[in-house]
Amino acid sequence: MGQLRIRTASVVALLVPLAACSSPSGTGTSPADGKAAGRPAADDRPAAVTVTPRGENVRAGEPVEVTASGGRLTSVTVTDADGRALGGELAADGASWTSRRKAVPGASYTVTAVTTTDAGRKHTTKSSFTTAGADKVNKVDWRPGANTTVGIAQPVSLVFDHPVTDKAAVERQLKLTTSNGTEGSWAWLEDHSGRDRVDWRPKEYWKPGTKVTLTAELNGTDSGDGGWFVRDYATTFTVGAAQIVRVDLDRKQLTLVRDGREVRTIPVSGGTPGGDKRSWRGTAVLMAKEGTINMNSETVGLGDAYDKMVDYSMRLTWSGMYAHAAPWNDRWMGRANRSSGCIGMSTADAAWFYAQVRPGDPFEIKGRDTKGVVAPGNGFGAWNVPWTAWQERSALR
């Protein structure tokens, strides 16, 4: 009789961890063969379920894994405190289930697993765990905006609040799809602000009419150095007409080309040769049409050279290079480069040109006396990096 009590206690001890977080689907009645209540036959025991992670304040950033022994999983549901489900995949043999997304910081999850044994016994197990909060939240500033129409040189650009030390982990969560299978690549670079940034550009200019979707499933991703993403991001946009702006600073003229046809050439005045007021060369991309703005030379390191309101302003770089109306320089249009680095034109020409272009249009700028090629992070300078070199900047290569 003493041995019988010891064996019974062992069975109860084995079942305690599962019973603490489970609710059996059966009624719990005694078997018909007269066995003592609470002592199921070996082939009548429910499957054992293990959930990872488990406990309180566990580290986020890992998928939820559920395994079963002594039976198979038939369904698994993982929900957070707001009732949102964390979807996953059940293995073909029913031995395991893994969430497609990671557990996010500062969240509580309830796991409900239904199992079936070979003998046909069904059982429902419930458990819960919580994740530790984020030390730092890494936010994203991305371009272009959703549901916009852009020019053929527009990259997809994400700039991060905090340093990204695990660039591969972040890049794996970025999915970009196009309506026509456009070839392209992500590349990591330093933004003009000094922050980490990742851009996607096609191998060649976009084809007009291409529809692009970015899905950045970053929620729950550790960017490294204690920085966590706590939301996802998504944007969609369409590529508009094939427009290229060709700027020849030696000839002091600008030509708008649309669908391979020259629409109009207008006289301009670029940056003054021989010093810091020179213009950039290479391919710059129209970042934004900012209209009438105040331009102050002190903000771009040129002292008190100017402080004035400027019409039809079109931003080309973060460092302050614009195309805009410059009526104070009318006498130099088409004759000499006398600006402080921008591409100036008459008010009438600027008004016409402003109405023609859109963000994402490339400005292909050439000239002998410039201060260099636009850097990749100074606005959208991706097109100044050779394609193979651009691909090598991906963290997944």
Side-chain angles (χ1 to χ4, degrees):
M1 190 67 179
Q3 285 185 337
L4 179 60
R5 291 197 184 100
I6 292 172
R7 197 175 297 119
T8 302
S10 299
V11 171
V12 172
L14 287 172
L15 290 176
V16 165
L18 185 60
C21 57
S22 64
S23 55
S25 59
T27 61
T29 56
S30 299
D33 61 4
K35 293 178 183 177
R39 291 186 58 207
D43 60 358
D44 196 34
R45 295 173 184 169
V49 174
T50 302
V51 177
T52 307
R54 60 183 178 180
E56 303 293 322
N57 292 317
V58 300
R59 188 180 186 278
E62 300 295 335
V64 179
E65 296 184 351
V66 182
T67 60
S69 59
R72 64 186 182 279
L73 296 164
T74 55
S75 71
V76 175
T77 303
V78 180
T79 56
D80 64 14
D82 295 322
R84 293 185 294 258
L86 195 66
E89 299 291 341
L90 183 65
D93 60 2
S96 63
W97 179 94
T98 305
S99 66
R100 287 187 292 270
R101 301 294 303 274
K102 302 166 184 174
V104 305
S108 60
Y109 292 94
T110 299
V111 182
T112 303
V114 179
T115 57
T116 303
T117 65
D118 290 342
R121 176 166 181 171
K122 293 184 177 181
H123 191 74
T124 299
T125 301
K126 287 192 175 182
S127 66
S128 62
F129 67 92
T130 64
T131 55
D135 294 333
K136 293 184 295 187
V137 173
N138 207 343
K139 298 179 182 178
V140 180
D141 177 25
W142 77 97
R143 293 171 186 250
N147 303 316
T148 54
T149 299
V150 301
I152 59 174
Q154 176 70 54
V156 177
S157 184
L158 286 73
V159 182
F160 304 95
D161 273 5
H162 296 291
V164 178
T165 56
D166 194 347
K167 292 179 172 58
V170 171
E171 191 174 332
R172 287 190 191 97
Q173 301 306 117
L174 307 178
K175 182 181 180 182
L176 190 138
T177 57
T178 68
S179 59
N180 53 14
T182 302
E183 180 183 1
S185 175
W186 291 102
W188 289 87
L189 52 142
E190 181 180 315
D191 186 65
H192 189 69
S193 64
R195 294 181 293 171
D196 283 334
R197 170 175 152 188
V198 64
D199 285 11
W200 194 100
R201 55 152 276 207
K203 182 178 180 180
E204 300 173 343
Y205 288 156
W206 296 103
K207 292 181 179 179
T210 303
K211 297 184 183 303
V212 186
T213 300
L214 167 68
T215 304
E217 294 185 337
L218 292 171
N219 195 3
T221 300
D222 182 1
S223 60
D225 195 31
W228 290 88
F229 296 99
V230 295
R231 59 162 291 189
D232 295 334
Y233 299 85
T235 189
T236 59
F237 61 93
T238 303
V239 180
Q243 293 195 144
I244 299 174
V245 181
R246 292 181 179 146
V247 181
D248 188 334
L249 295 177
D250 295 331
R251 299 177 64 185
K252 294 84 177 174
Q253 64 182 28
L254 173 155
T255 301
L256 176 63
V257 180
R258 182 181 296 136
D259 297 325
R261 182 178 64 87
E262 292 187 3
V263 178
R264 183 173 169 182
T265 296
I266 58 180
V268 298
S269 180
T272 304
D276 291 339
K277 292 184 178 182
R278 291 175 295 174
S279 299
W280 294 104
R281 70 175 185 274
T283 300
V285 176
L286 179 56
M287 301 178 66
K289 296 165 67 174
E290 298 181 6
T292 300
I293 62 173
N294 176 256
M295 290 191 179
N296 189 314
S297 55
E298 292 181 351
T299 65
V300 292
L302 293 177
D304 60 355
Y306 57 87
D307 184 4
K308 61 183 68 179
M309 299 303 292
V310 179
D311 295 329
Y312 303 110
S313 298
M314 296 160 272
R315 181 182 283 276
L316 297 177
T317 70
W318 284 127
S319 63
M321 182 175 171
Y322 283 79
H324 61 74
W328 56 88
N329 255 358
D330 273 350
R331 62 177 175 150
W332 300 117
M333 301 304 173
R335 297 178 55 204
N337 292 318
R338 290 291 185 270
S339 82
S340 295
C342 294
I343 300 167
M345 59 197 81
S346 72
T347 300
D349 285 339
W352 174 85
F353 183 67
Y354 190 91
Q356 303 301 312
V357 295
R358 60 165 50 97
D361 285 346
F363 281 58
E364 298 177 349
I365 306 165
K366 65 180 182 178
R368 290 188 298 273
D369 196 354
T370 63
K371 56 186 174 184
V373 175
V374 178
N378 188 7
F380 301 136
W383 299 98
N384 299 310
V385 180
W387 175 241
T388 54
W390 181 261
Q391 290 177 296
E392 290 170 359
R393 289 173 177 250
S394 167
L396 301 181
R397 291 186 65 83

